[in-house]
Amino acid sequence: MPTNSEVEMSPAEVDALLSRHETGVLALARDDAPYAIPISYGYDADDRALYLRLVSTPDSEKREFLASTPQARIVVYEDEEDEYASVVGVGALEQVDLDELTPETIAQYGEAQRPLFEIWADDKPDLDISLYRLTPETLTGRTVVVERDEE
């Protein structure tokens, strides 16, 4: 499967890809240990920020990584016919204080696939539901066109 072309995306193309998708992969690192999870997000193209709602349990690996305020990398991609596109954002994951929420901020989380607030059938006191913002220091995208073998 040879590559015919590989093109860097413009900032507008990066914003468009992030705006039309709601899921990606969040990777965190602590010491020499990596951790990656699928996530749902909302994206604000004006601020170029991603908004995440992450749920963890007391003994979860996710909670351990989040407590260490790690550097984060988010990857969002699409695969359509002979074209692949991906966006990678790198930066610090910032926890959002619930006391600082505004209607505008809540609207950003509302863009994510999972609703901001869920009603559980049973009480879930051990779940930690935290809101995060990732304003990437770097945000790049690439489109790759490949030549597929015809059968």
Side-chain angles (χ1 to χ4, degrees):
M1 180 168 54
T3 300
N4 284 354
S5 70
E6 186 172 331
V7 178
E8 193 78 20
M9 289 181 176
S10 69
E13 290 169 321
V14 166
D15 291 341
L17 188 140
L18 290 174
S19 294
R20 74 176 165 263
H21 291 279
E22 299 172 329
T23 60
V25 176
L26 177 68
L28 308 172
R30 185 187 67 216
D31 301 322
D32 289 331
Y35 181 72
I37 53 173
I39 52 93
S40 175
Y41 69 87
Y43 182 66
D44 181 345
D46 293 333
D47 292 335
R48 300 198 94 200
L50 295 105
Y51 293 85
L52 301 86
R53 184 181 65 101
L54 302 176
V55 179
S56 61
T57 59
D59 58 350
S60 74
E61 197 174 13
K62 184 189 306 179
R63 190 176 285 186
E64 288 177 30
F65 272 85
L66 291 171
S68 69
T69 56
Q71 273 291 100
R73 182 174 300 245
I74 189 162
V75 178
V76 177
Y77 60 92
E78 60 188 14
D79 174 7
E80 295 182 11
E81 307 246 344
D82 295 339
E83 186 172 295
Y84 299 94
S86 62
V87 169
V88 176
V90 179
L93 197 58
E94 173 190 358
Q95 187 167 5
V96 175
D97 186 347
L98 296 179
D99 294 334
E100 296 175 11
L101 285 178
T102 65
E104 294 78 23
T105 306
I106 291 171
Q108 292 303 323
Y109 290 100
E111 296 294 320
Q113 281 188 346
R114 299 184 68 178
L116 178 57
F117 302 103
E118 293 176 346
I119 299 173
W120 301 91
D122 297 318
D123 191 22
K124 305 282 185 188
D126 58 342
L127 288 182
D128 178 25
I129 302 173
S130 299
L131 305 178
Y132 291 86
R133 177 177 36 249
L134 175 63
T135 306
E137 295 161 16
T138 62
L139 189 58
T140 59
R142 177 167 296 152
T143 301
V144 178
V145 177
V146 296
E147 182 180 309
R148 298 188 193 262
D149 295 332
E150 299 283 331
E151 292 189 32

